[in-house]
Amino acid sequence: MGLKLAHQLILVVAAASMLGVSLANKDWGWNSDKHQLNGTEGPQKIIVGGSEKWHFGFNYSDWAFQNAPFYFNDTLVFKYDPPSNSKFPHSVYLFPDLWSYLNCNFKRAKMIANPTQGGGHGFKFVLKRWRPYYFACGERDGFHCKVGGMRFTVVPLYRWPY
Ligand SMILES: *[C@@H]1O[C@H](CO)[C@@H](O)[C@H](O)[C@H]1NC(C)=O
Ligand SMILES: *[C@@H]1O[C@H](CO)[C@@H](O)[C@H](O)[C@H]1NC(C)=O
Ligand SMILES: *[C@@H]1O[C@H](CO)[C@@H](O)[C@H](O)[C@H]1NC(C)=O
Ligand SMILES: [Cu+2]
């Protein structure tokens, strides 16, 4: 179990470098405006995509890297219009592993929010466990995931109190 997690983590880092994302150049800043670690702040609520929300044609893996790190008990909020208001419905799925994520293969993916659940205040998902989370939109048979940029990975960190 522990070993498997460690293995998956290594794969995530490997995938990140495969995608040409330089971790070294990233701002892991301890006082970045989004995640100030001054001990008084609890878990954050983070809107996926920020003002872009959850839509086709935005690079969410890029967004996730720009907005990392995420922490335990942080809440991700997915906002998207319900099918009644939108010609292009979205959804949220979790992949069980990196392979499914990289291939946008939804065979073993789990739907965590259907196309109507992103309305109003959005669909909320709490990062409760130390594991890589592989998120994606499952609409149009993987097209939104593969071509629309609607997938990203998050590995929550422990927020050290002090
Ligand atoms: C901690 O951060 C919060 C939010 O950024 C801020 O409102 C608060 O004043 C900060 N507290 C200290 C002690 O710096
Ligand atoms: C998203 O951005 C990353 C770099 O941050 C890039 O490697 C990747 O190809 C982009 N993905 C899409 C679907 O454009
Ligand atoms: C996360 O929240 C749960 C329940 O609210 C709490 O028991 C747990 O200690 C929290 N974990 C961290 C790392 O803050
Ligand atoms: Cu979508």
Side-chain angles (χ1 to χ4, degrees):
M1 175 66 171
L3 207 73
K4 198 178 164 215
L5 269 178
H7 185 63
Q8 288 198 329
L9 266 184
I10 289 163
L11 284 175
V12 169
V13 173
S17 43
M18 265 160 37
L19 293 170
V21 175
S22 167
L23 294 173
N25 288 341
K26 242 198 74 43
D27 174 20
W28 291 99
W30 291 93
N31 50 7
S32 95
D33 49 353
K34 293 207 177 62
H35 298 286
Q36 256 175 4
L37 291 185
N38 62 13
T40 60
E41 248 186 313
Q44 305 286 296
K45 224 183 245 173
I46 301 133
I47 296 171
V48 174
S51 57
E52 293 282 337
K53 304 182 193 169
W54 187 233
H55 69 80
F56 188 94
F58 183 75
N59 191 332
Y60 289 91
S61 61
D62 198 30
W63 172 87
F65 275 107
Q66 302 290 334
N67 287 272
F70 300 89
Y71 293 93
F72 278 117
N73 285 347
D74 278 357
T75 300
L76 295 182
V77 186
F78 293 84
K79 291 189 164 182
Y80 49 94
D81 287 335
S84 53
N85 293 351
S86 167
K87 272 192 271 181
F88 306 104
H90 304 293
S91 57
V92 186
Y93 281 70
L94 261 184
F95 291 117
D97 53 47
L98 180 65
W99 183 87
S100 313
Y101 171 79
L102 290 176
N103 292 288
C104 288
N105 183 318
F106 286 84
K107 271 195 196 102
R108 291 164 53 231
K110 189 178 148 204
M111 184 169 76
I112 54 173
N114 68 32
T116 64
Q117 283 175 273
H121 295 295
F123 167 71
K124 297 186 183 66
F125 184 90
V126 182
L127 303 171
K128 282 201 183 116
R129 293 176 50 211
W130 188 70
R131 54 160 278 187
Y133 287 95
Y134 306 104
F135 295 101
C137 176
E139 298 312 293
R140 299 276 313 278
D141 249 344
F143 184 68
H144 285 205
C145 174
K146 263 195 204 103
V147 178
M150 301 187 76
R151 62 172 142 172
F152 64 99
T153 309
V154 162
V155 182
L157 304 181
Y158 185 72
R159 193 190 296 275
W160 299 100
Y162 61 92

